[in-house]
Amino acid sequence: MNPSTLLPVGINNLAEIWVYLSATPLFGLTLTLLAYVLADMAYQRTNRHPLANPVLIAVATIIAVLTLTRTDYKTYFQGAQFVHFLLGTATVALAIPLARLWNELRARAIPLLLAVLAGGAASVLVAVGVAKLLSAPPTIVMSLLPKSVTAPIAMGIAEQIGGSPTLAAVFAISTGIIGALIATPLLNLLGVRDWAARGFAVGVAAHGIGTARAYSVHPRAGAYASLGMGLHALLGAITLPWLAKLII
Amino acid sequence: MLASMIRGLAILLIFQSIGEVATRFIHGLIPGPVIGMILLLVFLIVKKKIAPSISTAADGLLAHLAIFFIPAAVGVMLYVSELASAGAAWLLAILLSTAASMAITALLLKWFFKGDDSGAKKPDLSS
């Protein structure tokens, strides 16, 4: 980087300070942390109400700020990438709750595997069925197919089966947010009280963002959610490209 | 506390790095962090003990897991017009399929786990 761009010498009005700050990674990073702090405050204030989902509120706030300040996503991401990078590290960290519950999970391996197979199949069949019924174009259908699998895997699968990787990522993220919003009322309605069953179902259907919701509600639900997400990711990567050929 | 957190983070980053290298060998079929998670899990199970530093770092990251999804999710802004022109089919498909997937998984497990409270009896490594 050119040292002269690092020193705001000669800045003499607010607009110039803004031009300077918004071009540095500081802007995207500060905006991301600030939006999350505010969204998390709202979430805690409402006693973690599902509709006050921190991802949804923070993302809406950031998009509003970026639109108002005419900042493009690329500029924002220069700063936000530092937070984005840690998503990978947090994914690795999911091994710890799984290791803590290992004996219990091993004893329950067969029911958990059957549940993730059923939940994964339901996700694909209903998504493709509804989209075809409403005559959505094939690119949309193929991008919807892997939407309950975690975003990076969903993108890879969509590319293999003739969907759009970017649309697949958007659909996966939307699935995570919608899953986090509906989980508590839906599971209450179904009378599922066990944190293990609740958490696992949220992880299978709504991957990472659902898992974040599960962690904020109960640590046991969070651990089971990360297992559900992880198993769905592994099985999805192996079976979905093959399943796509079968149903289309 | 901070020293322990940094030590734990370093260990997590080592496994993330191994995962990133390993994913090249399978052409990215499974993302690097997922491979890193599996390898760390195997390591912890073999060792039969979780170092306090790893616990501290992991619990710190996982308590605010939601923040790490924000930068990627803001990327939705790039596709707003494309999605609007695609109509509501995709939204309805996502809503119904996510609800169906969650309901079937939860109900199956509720039925499987009936009378099984192994989780309550065996605290093993959990706190």
Side-chain angles (χ1 to χ4, degrees):
Chain A
M1 215 188 283
N2 179 352
S4 68
T5 62
L6 288 172
L7 297 166
V9 175
I11 285 182
N12 39 32
N13 64 44
L14 257 176
E16 282 179 35
I17 293 174
W18 169 252
V19 167
Y20 165 71
L21 275 181
S22 62
T24 66
L26 201 54
F27 172 67
L29 185 57
T30 312
L31 179 60
T32 305
L33 294 192
L34 210 58
Y36 177 73
V37 168
L38 291 175
D40 194 50
M41 266 168 60
Y43 190 49
Q44 303 300 343
R45 279 276 167 82
T46 58
N47 228 338
R48 280 162 280 150
H49 193 280
L51 287 179
N53 184 274
V55 179
L56 181 62
I57 295 177
V59 168
T61 308
I62 293 169
I63 291 181
V65 172
L66 295 180
T67 310
L68 284 174
T69 60
R70 295 168 192 274
T71 311
D72 62 3
Y73 181 64
K74 213 177 137 195
T75 310
Y76 162 74
F77 197 76
Q78 276 175 4
Q81 62 175 321
F82 303 109
V83 177
H84 178 71
F85 173 79
L86 285 173
L87 180 57
T89 319
T91 306
V92 175
L94 290 171
I96 282 79
L98 296 184
R100 284 180 190 143
L101 285 176
W102 187 246
N103 289 338
E104 177 188 327
L105 297 176
R106 206 173 43 172
R108 291 175 156 185
I110 291 170
L112 291 173
L113 273 173
L114 289 175
V116 70
L117 281 173
S123 163
V124 170
L125 295 177
V126 176
V128 172
V130 171
K132 284 197 156 186
L133 213 67
L134 298 174
S135 48
T139 338
I140 298 266
V141 176
M142 286 294 113
S143 310
L144 273 169
L145 195 137
K147 55 111 206 145
S148 273
V149 183
T150 182
I153 296 186
M155 293 171 79
I157 296 172
E159 195 162 30
Q160 277 184 53
I161 63 177
S164 143
T166 47
L167 272 184
V170 171
F171 291 157
I173 290 164
S174 310
T175 296
I177 292 177
I178 288 173
L181 295 178
I182 64 170
T184 301
L186 178 66
L187 295 169
N188 287 348
L189 189 73
L190 296 172
V192 180
R193 291 200 183 80
D194 180 15
W195 287 123
R198 288 174 75 104
F200 193 82
V202 174
V204 166
H207 53 87
I209 300 174
T211 300
R213 161 74 188 168
Y215 262 110
S216 75
V217 174
H218 196 277
R220 197 168 152 74
Y224 268 89
S226 48
L227 181 68
M229 166 178 74
L231 283 179
H232 197 181
L234 293 179
L235 290 174
I238 301 163
T239 59
L240 285 181
W242 165 81
L243 192 67
K245 275 183 222 144
L246 218 83
I247 55 178
I248 302 309
Chain B
M1 177 70 186
L2 189 60
S4 173
M5 177 100 189
I6 292 170
R7 197 178 314 160
L9 260 181
I11 296 168
L12 294 178
L13 286 171
I14 290 171
F15 278 90
Q16 190 179 354
S17 310
I18 299 172
E20 286 301 341
V21 175
T23 187
R24 315 269 145 162
F25 288 98
I26 55 165
H27 308 286
L29 184 68
I30 297 167
V34 176
I35 300 179
M37 174 187 82
I38 296 168
L39 294 176
L40 178 57
L41 179 61
V42 171
F43 172 80
L44 294 174
I45 291 165
V46 170
K47 263 193 83 187
K48 292 196 169 119
K49 195 173 160 278
I50 304 169
S53 63
I54 304 182
S55 274
T56 308
D59 290 338
L61 287 172
L62 296 179
H64 291 280
L65 186 58
I67 192 176
F68 306 117
F69 293 99
I70 293 172
V74 172
V76 170
M77 69 187 279
L78 298 174
Y79 304 96
V80 170
S81 56
E82 196 175 337
L83 291 174
S85 66
W90 65 273
L91 196 59
L92 200 63
I94 287 179
L95 182 66
L96 294 178
S97 65
T98 307
S101 171
M102 201 179 290
I104 286 173
T105 312
L107 289 175
L108 260 181
L109 284 184
K110 186 186 176 187
W111 183 63
F112 283 142
F113 290 169
K114 205 176 268 177
D116 168 22
D117 51 356
S118 68
K121 271 186 278 175
K122 268 189 279 174
D124 47 68
L125 288 166
S126 64
S127 46

